[in-house]
Amino acid sequence: MKAALEELEAGGSLRTVGARYGIPHNTLQDHRRGRYTYQPHPSRALLPEEEASLVAYIIWMGRHGFPVTRAVATLMATGIVKASGRQTMVNFEHGLSRMWWCRFRERHPELSARTPDPLDRQRVFGVTVPRVEALFNILEPMFAEKSWHDCPHLVFNCDETGFGDKQKSGKEKVYAQRGQKHVYRQTVVTREHISVHCCASAAGVSIPPMIIYAQCLPSNSYALDGPPNALYAISEKGYMDGPLFVRWIEHFLKHAPAERPLLLTCDQHETHMSKDVVDLCRGNGVEVVCLPSHTTHALQPLDVSLFGPLKEAFTKLATNMGLVRGDLVLGKKHFSSILKFAYPKAATVENIKKGFRLTGLFPLNRHALEDSDQMMIIPPVAVQPAPLGTTLSTAQVQSAPPSTTITLAQIHPAPPSTTISTAQVHPAPPSTTISTAQVHPAPPSTTISTAQVHPAPPSTTISTAQVHPAPPSTTISTAQVHPAPPDIISVPVVAGCVECPTCHRPPNPLVAAGIIPAGLAHILVPPRFDQSARRRRRQQVPAGARCITSDEFASHQAEKEREEREKQEAKRRRMEEVKERRALMEEEKKRKQREKEQREREKAQREREKAERERERERGKEQREREKQREREQERERLRREREQERLQNDICASCKHPSPPGSATEILEWVQCENCTLWYHTECVTHVVPEEAWLCRECATSRDL
């Protein structure tokens, strides 16, 4: 459209230009007459300065790893409108409309909708200017000393990447029926982890890769089907370890140029920094420089330009093979054959050179990442609260380049009715440190207005300035703020950065950085971080760049080994002391055990004696019981004899004193008993027996008659 309008302005015909660019001539006519010119809404929800603050907040959050979604941005815009208190047609219940968001996007083309890439916090805040500068401070002297500026074939980078954990679908789109909700793709690669260690030079030449399988090698002819001259190894879980990296260094020396010295850059994994690796590299003229930790996604050429295309090509080949055979499952025995075709497509000369160029490793360029989104140029501003009773006005501190450290001014309390504004920073020579400013108390009714802030050299560390006391009734005029150089970022210090005494909220660093006004500090709030001393103690300090083949690192390693030996010796002594203490404790334990056993034996003896006494008492008791039983039996026997005797007496007639009557040969079975004396009589021995009547013997009857 823009080219067509320019051709119309040059005198072209509407129909001719429209036919050439495929645009209707009526549309071109409307554009030429200005009918499509953007016209602002007569009643905008946000003021221009409020929209500018919201845009600055969105950009700031995106650069610091917390990108804002459309819903969050709309919610914050609604909050700004609600906090303003002005009359508006915005529905606070539903928020700003979709049309407002479309117009907001049109008014601010610097904003773009993007899909965020997940990245852990250490990597987000790992690529900082000081850490990148430290890396190039090591590389630049080495390049100058070894003359590597014109020798890209001597500069190498190595790293490993993993395959098989989870197959990605890739960026290539597929076609299906319109309206189909889900389009699935069958997975053809197993999830067994396989690592591939790659290495390439800045000249675009790659070393044959090393393939690391988990637990065992494939059962087929993997070496014949894989990339030429590739190295194969196994580990417990398919990852690189110390002995395997030493083996790879030998493989690297075999295929690297014979010219020495060589430069090899890698990450700071512990397997890359063992003593065997350092000795082998130092003995073969290989300088190994380890990149800063948590920065390999931006500073490692293979991560930047090789591994992405390699995995994409591998996934595409595996997917295409699945289209040929639906039942095909690609395991470790097929991996090397697929990698053989995918590796040359990714490890091209252009890709490898591009990775070295983008990271600044070759040609050596310490400013290569300044225009990249990977670099954290603006760190979060830390605001130091001012003492209570201090009145702060607007001050302006100009920040230097990334290597310059700038803190905020601390203003000491002034006497009543004293107004203190901006401090005065005088120019200092390079490498000069200006200490914290002290604002001396001024007499009453003294007015100090804005001072002059002069720019400092790039390597100057500015903390605060000194404001000298002014005589009574002295007025210092308005400051002249000198413009900062293009590479210097102005960070104004705005009033209201002291902690709120009501809600006790910390100050908003975006207000101190001049990104948003103080009135929106409670709405456009950045994420908070725990800055407590306990949290800082838990955080590990990330390791910076270092050359592990240098004499300094060798001495450091020797010192570390000495400390490790001392530590091991101290540990051995502690272990011996622990063993001695344990032996003493065991002896004491045995002694106590013996005493316990002795006490138990004595207790058992006492228990036995007690049991013996109990048995004696039981035996005596039983003896007494037996005697009592014998007495009872004797008594029972006596009673039995008495009863027997009584029975025998009852079997004898009381008259004749015989069991049978005299002169009778048989036993008399008929008896009669006296009701009074209960004696038995033969019926033949008595004469006055009356049946069925109470019978009395002669004596009882005589005694009754008497």
Side-chain angles (χ1 to χ4, degrees):
M1 178 62 71
K2 184 177 180 181
L5 292 177
E6 291 178 355
E7 190 170 342
L8 285 178
E9 292 294 334
S13 171
L14 279 174
R15 296 185 180 274
T16 303
V17 173
R20 182 179 296 119
Y21 290 96
I23 304 174
H25 66 279
N26 294 332
T27 304
L28 286 176
Q29 182 71 12
D30 292 338
H31 274 278
R32 188 169 64 176
R33 292 178 180 178
R35 293 184 180 180
Y36 289 96
T37 304
Y38 169 73
Q39 297 293 336
H41 196 272
S43 59
R44 293 171 56 177
L46 297 180
L47 299 178
E49 56 271 17
E50 293 174 344
E51 284 196 0
S53 299
L54 181 58
V55 171
Y57 174 78
I58 294 174
I59 295 175
W60 189 92
M61 293 289 286
R63 288 183 61 86
H64 287 78
F66 300 96
V68 177
T69 61
R70 169 187 167 183
V72 174
T74 306
L75 182 64
M76 290 187 172
T78 306
I80 294 174
V81 176
K82 188 174 182 179
S84 65
R86 58 178 176 267
Q87 293 184 355
T88 179
M89 298 178 64
V90 176
N91 188 341
F92 294 129
E93 181 179 356
H94 299 285
L96 291 168
S97 63
R98 181 180 178 183
M99 180 59 67
W100 176 89
W101 176 255
C102 296
R103 290 179 177 271
F104 176 78
R105 287 285 307 278
E106 291 176 359
R107 291 192 296 269
H108 301 283
E110 64 271 20
L111 298 180
S112 175
R114 303 290 300 276
T115 301
D117 299 324
L119 196 65
D120 54 41
R121 184 173 179 271
Q122 288 81 3
R123 289 186 178 272
V124 171
F125 294 97
V127 187
T128 58
V129 173
R131 306 188 72 200
V132 175
E133 292 289 334
L135 171 63
F136 286 95
N137 289 340
I138 295 175
L139 292 177
E140 287 178 352
M142 295 179 65
F143 268 69
E145 180 183 356
K146 312 294 183 181
S147 301
W148 285 332
H149 291 285
D150 298 328
C151 301
H153 62 286
L154 302 180
V155 180
F156 289 86
N157 174 245
C158 70
D159 192 19
E160 57 268 0
T161 185
F163 289 83
D165 287 340
K166 187 175 181 181
Q167 182 185 6
K168 296 184 178 180
S169 60
K171 299 180 180 179
E172 188 177 10
K173 293 186 179 297
V174 297
Y175 287 91
Q177 182 181 2
R178 184 182 297 275
Q180 184 177 350
K181 188 174 182 180
H182 298 287
V183 180
Y184 298 103
R185 172 179 285 172
Q186 180 177 342
T187 302
V188 296
V189 180
T190 61
R191 291 192 174 186
E192 186 175 3
H193 183 82
I194 301 174
S195 296
V196 178
H197 189 89
C198 304
C199 181
S201 68
V205 180
S206 62
I207 301 294
M210 179 182 185
I211 304 175
I212 305 174
Y213 294 97
Q215 298 180 353
C216 64
L217 292 172
S219 58
N220 60 341
S221 57
Y222 56 90
L224 298 178
D225 298 337
N229 300 321
L231 182 64
Y232 299 88
I234 58 173
S235 64
E236 182 179 359
K237 296 184 178 180
Y239 292 93
M240 177 69 74
D241 56 20
L244 290 183
F245 191 72
V246 174
R247 184 180 170 188
W248 178 85
I249 289 291
E250 297 173 351
H251 174 75
F252 167 74
L253 295 173
K254 178 181 177 182
H255 294 277
E259 187 177 353
R260 295 292 187 272
L262 303 177
L263 174 62
L264 178 63
T265 58
C266 60
D267 55 30
Q268 296 204 29
H269 195 269
E270 57 182 5
T271 59
H272 303 165
M273 303 173 61
S274 63
K275 186 177 183 300
D276 296 336
V277 173
V278 174
D279 294 342
L280 184 60
C281 292
R282 285 171 63 90
N284 290 275
V286 180
E287 299 289 343
V288 181
V289 175
C290 291
L291 303 175
S293 58
H294 308 302
T295 61
T296 54
H297 64 287
L299 291 176
Q300 187 127 251
L302 299 184
D303 274 344
V304 172
S305 63
L306 178 62
F307 289 155
L310 176 60
K311 292 188 176 182
E312 185 177 352
F314 184 89
T315 303
K316 186 175 181 179
L317 287 174
T319 304
N320 293 340
M321 292 181 66
L323 296 177
V324 178
R325 285 189 56 185
D327 59 343
L328 180 64
V329 177
L330 302 178
K332 61 165 58 175
K333 65 179 182 180
H334 307 97
F335 180 81
S336 59
S337 59
I338 301 177
L339 188 67
K340 178 181 179 180
F341 295 97
Y343 191 79
K345 295 182 179 181
T348 60
V349 177
E350 293 77 10
N351 280 350
I352 297 173
K353 287 184 176 181
K354 180 181 178 181
F356 279 89
R357 184 179 67 256
L358 292 178
T359 56
L361 296 185
F362 198 93
L364 203 61
N365 181 14
R366 65 170 59 226
H367 304 292
L369 294 180
E370 288 185 358
D371 297 333
S372 173
D373 294 336
Q374 306 285 0
M375 178 74 77
M376 294 295 298
I377 299 178
I378 308 177
V381 181
V383 180
Q384 301 174 356
L388 298 177
T390 303
T391 303
L392 300 178
S393 64
T394 305
Q396 189 170 12
V397 179
Q398 298 174 350
S399 65
S403 60
T404 303
T405 303
I406 298 179
T407 61
L408 300 180
Q410 295 179 348
I411 303 179
H412 297 278
S417 68
T418 301
T419 303
I420 301 176
S421 65
T422 312
Q424 192 173 24
V425 180
H426 300 282
S431 304
T432 302
T433 301
I434 301 178
S435 61
T436 306
Q438 296 180 353
V439 180
H440 302 282
S445 68
T446 300
T447 303
I448 302 177
S449 63
T450 311
Q452 297 179 352
V453 182
H454 299 279
S459 60
T460 304
T461 301
I462 302 177
S463 61
T464 51
Q466 296 181 352
V467 178
H468 300 282
S473 304
T474 302
T475 302
I476 299 178
S477 60
T478 307
Q480 298 177 354
V481 181
H482 297 276
D487 57 345
I488 294 179
I489 304 170
S490 297
V491 184
V493 183
V494 184
C497 292
V498 186
E499 181 177 337
C500 178
T502 304
C503 61
H504 301 287
R505 268 193 258 177
N508 193 328
L510 302 184
V511 177
I515 298 176
I516 62 174
L520 302 179
H522 63 289
I523 299 176
L524 305 179
V525 181
R528 293 183 57 185
F529 296 95
D530 186 6
Q531 300 295 336
S532 61
R534 181 179 180 183
R535 176 63 180 270
R536 289 195 298 269
R537 285 195 301 268
R538 290 199 304 265
Q539 292 178 347
Q540 296 181 355
V541 179
R546 47 187 170 179
C547 179
I548 64 174
T549 54
S550 61
D551 296 336
E552 180 182 359
F553 185 81
S555 61
H556 173 72
Q557 286 294 98
E559 181 68 19
K560 186 176 179 180
E561 291 177 359
R562 185 185 63 80
E563 293 177 355
E564 186 66 24
R565 287 194 298 270
E566 292 178 355
K567 184 178 178 181
Q568 293 295 331
E569 181 65 22
K571 183 179 179 180
R572 185 186 62 79
R573 289 195 298 268
R574 288 195 304 270
M575 292 299 295
E576 291 179 355
E577 294 176 358
V578 170
K579 288 181 180 179
E580 293 177 359
R581 288 196 298 269
R582 287 181 178 176
L584 294 176
M585 292 172 62
E586 288 293 333
E587 185 64 27
E588 182 68 16
K589 184 177 180 181
K590 291 180 181 179
R591 185 185 63 80
K592 292 182 178 180
Q593 184 67 21
R594 289 194 296 269
E595 293 178 356
K596 182 180 179 180
E597 292 176 356
Q598 181 64 24
R599 290 193 299 268
E600 290 179 353
R601 286 194 295 270
E602 294 175 357
K603 182 179 179 180
Q605 182 64 24
R606 290 193 298 270
E607 292 291 335
R608 287 194 297 271
E609 294 176 356
K610 182 179 179 180
E612 185 65 26
R613 290 193 297 269
E614 290 291 335
R615 285 194 293 272
E616 289 293 335
R617 286 195 294 270
E618 290 293 332
R619 285 196 293 269
K621 184 177 179 181
E622 291 176 358
Q623 183 67 23
R624 290 191 296 271
E625 289 292 335
R626 285 196 296 271
E627 292 176 357
K628 292 181 179 180
Q629 183 69 19
R630 190 164 50 252
E631 292 176 356
R632 287 194 293 270
E633 290 178 356
Q634 293 176 358
E635 181 66 20
R636 285 196 296 270
E637 182 65 21
R638 184 183 62 81
L639 294 175
R640 187 184 65 77
R641 287 196 298 270
E642 291 178 355
R643 286 195 299 272
E644 182 66 22
Q645 185 178 2
E646 182 180 359
R647 186 184 66 78
L648 292 176
Q649 292 178 357
N650 292 335
D651 292 343
I652 298 174
C653 178
S655 174
C656 65
K657 306 299 182 183
H658 288 90
S660 58
S664 176
T666 59
E667 185 178 358
I668 302 301
L669 299 178
E670 293 183 2
W671 296 75
V672 63
Q673 186 179 22
C674 179
E675 292 293 337
N676 185 26
C677 63
T678 67
L679 294 177
W680 289 89
Y681 293 89
H682 296 138
T683 54
E684 295 179 0
C685 295
V686 293
T687 57
H688 53 281
V689 176
V690 180
E692 297 179 1
E693 289 184 3
W695 180 80
L696 297 176
C697 63
R698 181 182 303 169
E699 290 80 4
C700 293
T702 303
S703 61
R704 187 184 65 175
D705 293 340
L706 294 176

